């Protein structure tokens, strides 16, 4: 009985809120909120074939402001996963004998400057049915590469697999292209493709040379994994030893994201005490 009353009370509150939500007055809307998902593909030492991921591995939130006729600005927050594995490299390659892998859960904050190819129409609800755009900016990302060993997952930074203490946070430069598809006067569906250059070569924990010494046995097993698959290529097997080449420090890591987002336009007085509507149609639709 108590559960039934609770459900009824929640439904009543939701209905009341929805009624108020729909009853606010219309004003032109320069701010919008977006939420989306998509794929994330890492490029570095552990993606030998540069294959594109098709796994949904990101969740993003954003607030955008229309500033000028063709210019907008956006703040984005994204949680996403990157991964790579030497097992996908050819059997005859050094990478296959190296036998390294990683997976990381990342937290990414970005500021974007956006340039729209079509100008603003003067009222948000008169916007183009399709409006392509370009964007770039700067990001700040926390990354935590991990690897599985013996059924457990370990943080590779703490293992110091190359004897290096690299930072947890890194600056990124995003460059992208997108398009906004108008669904109705309040809602867009946005498709974006963005490339992100990272100012580090350690997104995958692989950059330079094998550590000369390790803090413990677990760290050594995480740093040098050639013996897990045996001798695939004798020449490369003998090369893998402390101080030997492990990665390529001349090429920094990067990643590509393909995102699909739902965007809703916010009234200018959304957070004021006035009883204004977010979804009431403008007078042009009455």
């Amino acid at each position: 009985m108590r559960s039934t009353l609770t459900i009824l009370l929640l439904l009543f509150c939701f209905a009341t809120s929805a009624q108020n939500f729909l009853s606010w007055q219309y004003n032109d809307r320069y701010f919008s909120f977006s939420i989306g998902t998509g794929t994330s593909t890492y490029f570095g030492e552990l993606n030998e074939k540069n294959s594109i991921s098709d796994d949904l591995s990101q969740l993003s939130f954003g607030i955008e402001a229309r500033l000028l006729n063709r210019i907008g600005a956006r703040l984005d927050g994204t949680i996403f996963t990157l991964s790579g594995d030497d097992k996908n490299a050819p059997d005859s390659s050094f990478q296959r004998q190296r036998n390294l892998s990683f997976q990381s859960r990342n937290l990414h904050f970005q500021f974007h400057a956006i340039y729209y190819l079509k100008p603003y129409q003067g009222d948000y609800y008169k916007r183009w049915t399709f409006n392509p755009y370009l964007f770039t900016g700067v990001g700040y990302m926390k990354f935590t590469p991990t690897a599985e060993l013996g059924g457990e997952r370990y943080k590779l930074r703490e293992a110091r697999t190359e004897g290096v203490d690299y930072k947890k946070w890194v600056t990124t430069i995003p460059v992208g292209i997108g398009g906004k598809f108008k669904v109705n006067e309040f809602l867009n569906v946005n498709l974006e493709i963005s490339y992100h250059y990272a100012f580090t070569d350690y997104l995958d924990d692989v950059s330079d040379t094998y550590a000369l010494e390790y803090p413990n046995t677990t760290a050594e097993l995480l740093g040098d994994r050639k013996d897990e698959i045996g001798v695939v290529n004798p020449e490369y097997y003998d090369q893998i030893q402390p101080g030997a080449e492990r990665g390529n420090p001349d090429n920094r890591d990067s990643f590509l994201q393909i995102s699909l987002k739902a965007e809703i336009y916010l009234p200018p007085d959304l957070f004021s005490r006035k009883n204004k509507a977010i979804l009431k149609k403008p007078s042009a639709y009455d």
Side-chain angles (χ1 to χ4, degrees):
M1 181 63 178
R2 180 176 298 178
S3 299
T4 302
L5 291 175
T6 301
I7 293 173
L8 290 174
L9 180 60
L10 290 174
L11 289 174
F12 175 78
C13 292
F14 175 81
T16 302
S17 299
Q19 184 178 7
N20 293 333
F21 186 76
L22 293 168
S23 66
W24 293 339
Q25 299 298 318
Y26 158 77
N27 284 296
D28 197 25
R29 306 176 184 207
Y30 300 99
F31 292 89
S32 60
F33 172 79
S34 64
I35 181 172
T37 186
T39 65
S40 299
T41 301
Y42 136 88
F43 297 112
E45 283 86 352
L46 303 186
N47 187 359
E48 175 69 13
K49 297 180 180 179
N50 291 328
S51 55
I52 303 297
S53 172
D54 57 3
D55 295 330
L56 293 180
S57 57
Q58 60 164 293
L59 178 64
S60 65
F61 302 89
I63 292 288
E64 181 180 326
R66 175 74 79 151
L67 303 179
L68 298 172
N69 195 29
R70 295 177 183 263
I71 303 297
R74 182 172 65 193
L75 291 175
D76 259 356
T78 309
I79 300 172
F80 66 101
T81 300
L82 296 176
S83 63
D85 201 318
D86 276 341
K87 71 180 181 181
N88 299 318
D91 287 341
S92 59
S93 66
F94 164 76
Q95 288 82 357
R96 186 68 187 96
Q97 183 66 75
R98 183 178 59 182
N99 191 41
L100 298 177
S101 64
F102 90 102
Q103 184 182 84
S104 66
R105 178 63 61 88
N106 312 286
L107 178 62
H108 199 192
F109 299 102
Q110 302 173 76
F111 170 79
H112 295 157
I114 305 172
Y115 177 79
Y116 290 95
L117 273 62
K118 295 181 179 181
Y120 190 55
Q121 297 273 65
D123 294 294
Y124 83 96
Y125 60 90
K126 297 178 182 178
R127 64 190 183 277
W128 302 94
T129 302
F130 172 69
N131 196 350
Y133 55 91
L134 308 173
F135 64 93
T136 187
V138 63
Y140 201 45
M141 184 177 80
K142 182 180 180 182
F143 65 104
T144 307
T146 66
E148 187 174 321
L149 178 67
E152 295 187 33
R153 187 159 290 277
Y154 295 89
K155 295 181 179 179
L156 294 172
R157 181 187 290 106
E158 297 176 359
R160 302 184 76 243
T161 57
E162 296 188 1
V164 176
D165 291 316
Y166 52 87
K167 297 180 180 179
K168 297 180 180 180
W169 290 84
V170 62
T171 301
T172 64
I173 299 296
V175 178
I177 184 171
K180 297 193 175 191
F181 299 85
K182 180 180 177 182
V183 177
N184 58 38
E185 60 271 23
F186 304 103
L187 181 66
N188 287 337
V189 171
N190 304 339
L191 178 64
E192 292 184 356
I193 301 176
S194 57
Y195 179 83
H196 303 257
Y197 177 83
F199 285 87
T200 183
D201 193 34
Y202 280 103
L203 291 185
D204 50 15
D205 189 65
V206 180
S207 178
D208 201 348
T209 60
Y210 285 87
L212 295 175
E213 57 182 17
Y214 297 91
N216 52 58
T217 302
T218 299
E220 184 174 3
L221 292 174
L222 289 168
D224 182 354
R225 311 193 70 162
K226 66 178 182 181
D227 289 326
E228 293 182 20
I229 60 171
V231 181
V232 176
N233 186 307
E235 179 184 356
Y236 292 136
Y237 182 89
D238 293 336
Q239 289 179 8
I240 297 175
Q241 55 185 315
E245 178 182 305
R246 193 168 184 263
N248 182 2
D250 296 329
N251 293 327
R252 290 181 173 176
D253 297 331
S254 59
F255 56 96
L256 177 78
Q257 293 187 319
I258 302 174
S259 307
L260 186 66
K261 304 179 180 182
E263 178 186 28
I264 188 170
Y265 285 82
L266 303 174
D269 50 7
L270 175 62
F271 300 106
S272 72
R273 295 183 179 180
K274 296 180 181 180
N275 194 23
K276 303 289 185 180
I278 193 172
L279 291 182
K280 183 181 177 182
K281 291 184 178 180
S283 57
Y285 286 84
D286 291 341

